[in-house]
Structures are given as C-alpha cells and as structure tokens.
C-alpha cells in the first residue's frame, strides 16, 4: 500500500541497536539490505510492527531472529517521524537498544538482509535511512545509562573482581573512572554478592563477586 | 477510517505532559474531554500527527494551542503501542514533556476539550486512556533530567541567588540537596553569569546571577 500525501496513516517499525562488547571494543550489529531502498547498504536490524504486537514485542522478535537472544534488557530510546525519512512511504520508527556478549550470539542474516555482522561503534560504515542518527542517539543513551545503571554487569563473567567491573565500564564508556567513587556506587547495589572466594593464582588476591539475578533484574528496571 | 484487525496501520498522536511549577508545587496541565471515548474525563492534551508533520511539531502545535507557548524546551519521553490502548482504533502515541511557569500561561480549552486546568502532580484526578502511566513516566524522566540538566533555571526570575536556585530544585525534586555539591555542579554551567549585583534589602546580601540565553539553550540540548 502506497500512502497518499493526504493520509495520516504511517507504517511503524522498531529498529534495534544491538551493542556487543568484545576485545575491549564496543560493537554494533548491522545488516546489509538485500532489497530496495538502500539495497546493499548497511542498516540497523528492524521490523514492522504487527497488528497485535507492541513495538517492544517487535524489537524482541527482531532480536530473537537475528541473534537468538531472549529475555534481555531492552531499552526504548526514541521515535523518529520525519515525513521523508523513508524514501518510499511514510514510516515512523521507534528505536531500542540492547547490550549483549557478541561471542554468545552469532548473527543470522534473514528476511531482507543478505549479511549480518558486528562492527566497531567507533568505525561504522555509512548507514542507510537515518540509521546513523539513530545509532548515535542510542549510543548516547547507553553511555548515559551506564553512569547511573548497572547495565554492564551483565557482560561480566560468572565471578569477577571489582577491578574487572571497573575496567569493563571504563572500556565501554571510553574514559577512566575514579576508583573510590566507582566502588562506593556499586557497593550500594543489593544484587552484588561477595562470594568469599578469591581470584586464584594471585596470592592474597582480590575477592570475587557474583550477581544475584533476581535483584539484578529489579535494579535494571529502575529508574527509567 | 476504522482500522481492521489485519491492517498494520495505526494512527499516531503526540501527548503532552506540560509541567508547571507555582506556589512550591509541581503541577500538570490536564484537559477534560468533550467527546467519546472517555467523555468528561481528564486526559493529557494531545493531537494527531499531521501528514507533513513530525511528532515533535505535533506536540509544539498542541502546546501553542493550549497554553500559547512557543520556543520551549520539549523532551520526547516514550512511545506507547499496546494494541488496545485506545478503545476504538489502534493509536500509537509518543509523549513529550515541557516545564513552564503556569502564571505566564493560562490554558485554553479547544477542540475536543471542554476544560483545561493545572492540577498538582501529587494529586491528579483519574485519567482516561493510559495517560496516568504516561504522566508517571514523564514525571520520572523530568526528575531524572533535573539531576543532570539545568532545566529548572528557566523557571527562575531574571536575577536570582544560588540559594533561590537550590530551593527551586529541592521543591521540584521533593528532597533536600547537598549545598556544596549543588554549587559545584551549577558553577560549571557556562550559562550562569554573575551580575556583580547583590540582593537588595539584605546587608552584604548574596550575589545575583542571570542566565546567558544562548549558552543555556546549548546546555539543554546535551546530553540527551
């Protein structure tokens, strides 16, 4: 259906900015379009909202299809509604971001995509549509959330030291953090559980921590 | 046009959460619906996105119609897409918040509204649609933004003391702030200009400050 200029109807899509952290580098999952418009160009994975589906459900469906990820923290970022953002018809899109471990999630190109792969956020190819702006906004939001929310704990191994947690945050945010402030902040998290074990191989080594999953989920959902 | 269950078409609206601060109380502008559904109930002011309009332009149009406000800081909050959120047809809505001085903006009931007035956020009437949730989300976002952004400076008089600024923030957020932290933070704002004048009537009284409008606008737009 081609929308006529006088119609207010617009298709609605969800676009996913799937961040993955690996080898000290923040990456984003991109797909190469197999169809027009923007054929052969890289874009964010996305899909059209179904008639009985919320936008978040659409985003979760895209995530499951692309990288087989379920039950992950998904954050709505923004809605883009410029009348000419899609060259063929009017499409309003809502973006979501997620943060995953790339080595656990091999992307699969499906549907309108001929390729799917992880790209360093610091060095992405040109993107079709307004997806560069959507990526930049989602990255800004992720960085901002990381300062106030324990998002990145999901990327740590089962047991970790506080120094490892700080390094991870610094690598993702891209700047050093004050050790005392960092520790004071994260030690307020009730999901952080001291294991009584120490890092093996290091004499008198640092204590290991783990995450209480239930409390962690609660911590992620507030504040928005 | 009634949307059939198999159609993906959805109408798109912008709903405005217009906060006003007066008499030490945060208020929100509500309108009483004159039409079904939810006739006679209070709701947030909103409007349908026009075919050549962005959602932000829709929100600005609603703001101008309701309270005659132009050129104001408007923040997109979230998009709501539950298939049954509107009882008659499928309507996806995107919310925006603004923060204004109520006494400068007398609300005007127009269009589908029979009444328009300011209500204390702490004591709102039941709202139609999912507008209570939209209000709560916008209030959360406002509170969060106030901790990292100089939003409330717009509500201060032309010249103000740092103590007045802190009181205003405390009244809106609803809790006391540490004086030293507050001052350290706001004195980093490059839009804060010391006037060399002192509060009259107070011997050796505190210095007055004003806002550099241009720098203030820049400060509001980052970070998102």
């Amino acid at each position: 259906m081609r929308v006529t200029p006088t119609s207010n109807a617009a298709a609605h899509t969800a676009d996913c900015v799937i961040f993955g952290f690996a080898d000290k580098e923040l990456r984003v999952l991109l797909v190469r379009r197999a169809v027009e418009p923007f054929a052969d160009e890289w874009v964010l994975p996305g899909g059209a909202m179904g008639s009985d589906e919320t936008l978040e459900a659409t985003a979760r469906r895209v995530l499951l299809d692309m990288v087989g990820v379920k039950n992950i923290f998904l954050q709505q970022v923004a809605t883009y509604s410029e009348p000419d953002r899609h060259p063929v018809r009017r499409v309003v899109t809502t973006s979501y971001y997620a943060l995953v471990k790339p080595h656990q999630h091999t992307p699969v190109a499906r549907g309108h995509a001929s390729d799917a792969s992880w790209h360093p956020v610091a060095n992405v190819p040109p993107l079709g549509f307004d997806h560069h702006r959507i990526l930049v906004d989602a990255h800004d939001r992720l960085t901002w959330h990381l300062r106030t929310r324990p998002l990145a704990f999901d990327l740590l191994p089962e047991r970790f030291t506080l120094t490892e947690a700080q390094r991870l945050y610094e690598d993702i945010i891209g700047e050093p953090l004050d050790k005392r402030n960092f520790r004071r902040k994260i030690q307020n998290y009730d999901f952080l559980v001291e294991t009584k074990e120490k890092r093996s191989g290091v004499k008198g080594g640092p204590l290991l921590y783990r995450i209480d999953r239930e409390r962690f989920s609660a911590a992620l959902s507030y504040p928005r």
Side-chain angles (χ1 to χ4, degrees), chain A:
Chain A
M1 178 184 84
R2 179 70 188 271
V3 174
T4 59
T6 52
S7 164
N8 286 345
H12 209 128
T13 58
D15 283 316
C16 295
V17 186
I18 310 173
F19 291 111
F21 188 79
D23 303 326
K24 293 188 171 285
E25 203 163 28
L26 188 65
R27 292 152 200 271
V28 62
L29 186 65
L30 299 177
V31 297
R32 197 190 276 278
R33 274 177 72 85
V35 295
E36 294 290 351
F38 296 103
D40 292 326
E41 299 202 32
W42 291 100
V43 294
L44 298 167
M49 178 174 73
S51 54
D52 294 322
E53 211 179 34
T54 61
L55 288 162
E56 182 172 323
T58 310
R60 289 198 182 278
R61 177 165 53 78
V62 171
L63 265 165
L64 187 60
D65 283 355
M66 294 289 311
V67 282
V69 187
K70 261 195 232 189
N71 301 324
I72 203 162
F73 179 74
L74 202 60
Q75 174 71 46
Q76 191 188 102
V77 181
T79 295
Y80 301 85
S81 58
E82 280 68 23
D84 58 355
R85 61 171 296 282
H86 189 296
V88 177
R89 59 171 299 187
R90 186 153 194 196
V91 181
V92 174
T93 197
T94 299
S95 64
Y96 290 81
Y97 83 69
L99 185 59
V100 304
K101 297 182 187 179
H103 63 272
Q104 291 182 347
H105 308 290
T106 307
V108 181
R110 286 177 205 255
H112 289 168
S114 62
D115 194 1
S117 54
W118 295 100
H119 297 252
V121 170
N123 186 24
V124 286
L127 301 182
F129 302 105
D130 51 358
H131 286 193
H132 189 262
R133 179 186 163 199
I134 294 176
L135 168 61
V136 168
D137 288 351
H139 187 215
D140 279 359
R141 192 71 70 93
L142 169 71
T143 311
W144 187 26
H145 280 167
L146 281 170
R147 294 184 184 279
T148 52
R149 286 206 270 192
L151 273 181
F153 279 88
D154 223 9
L155 306 183
L156 286 162
E158 194 61 38
R159 268 129 215 269
F160 53 87
T161 67
L162 297 188
T163 301
E164 284 166 355
Q166 183 173 342
R167 291 280 147 71
L168 174 69
Y169 267 85
E170 291 175 334
D171 280 338
I172 302 184
I173 295 178
E175 43 182 88
L177 297 169
D178 179 74
K179 181 173 168 176
R180 237 170 73 178
N181 282 343
F182 182 78
R183 297 212 166 185
R184 191 188 317 141
K185 196 161 157 186
I186 70 170
Q187 280 174 336
N188 281 330
Y189 292 144
D190 67 352
F191 62 77
L192 201 65
V193 183
E194 208 181 286
T195 64
K196 316 281 180 212
E197 289 167 50
K198 293 188 169 190
R199 165 68 70 230
S200 62
V202 186
K203 199 172 170 190
L207 275 170
L208 290 171
Y209 289 77
R210 66 173 179 82
I211 280 173
D212 178 303
R213 279 282 142 195
E214 209 164 302
R215 290 178 180 168
F216 181 62
S217 296
L220 282 189
S221 63
Y222 182 84
R224 262 166 289 254

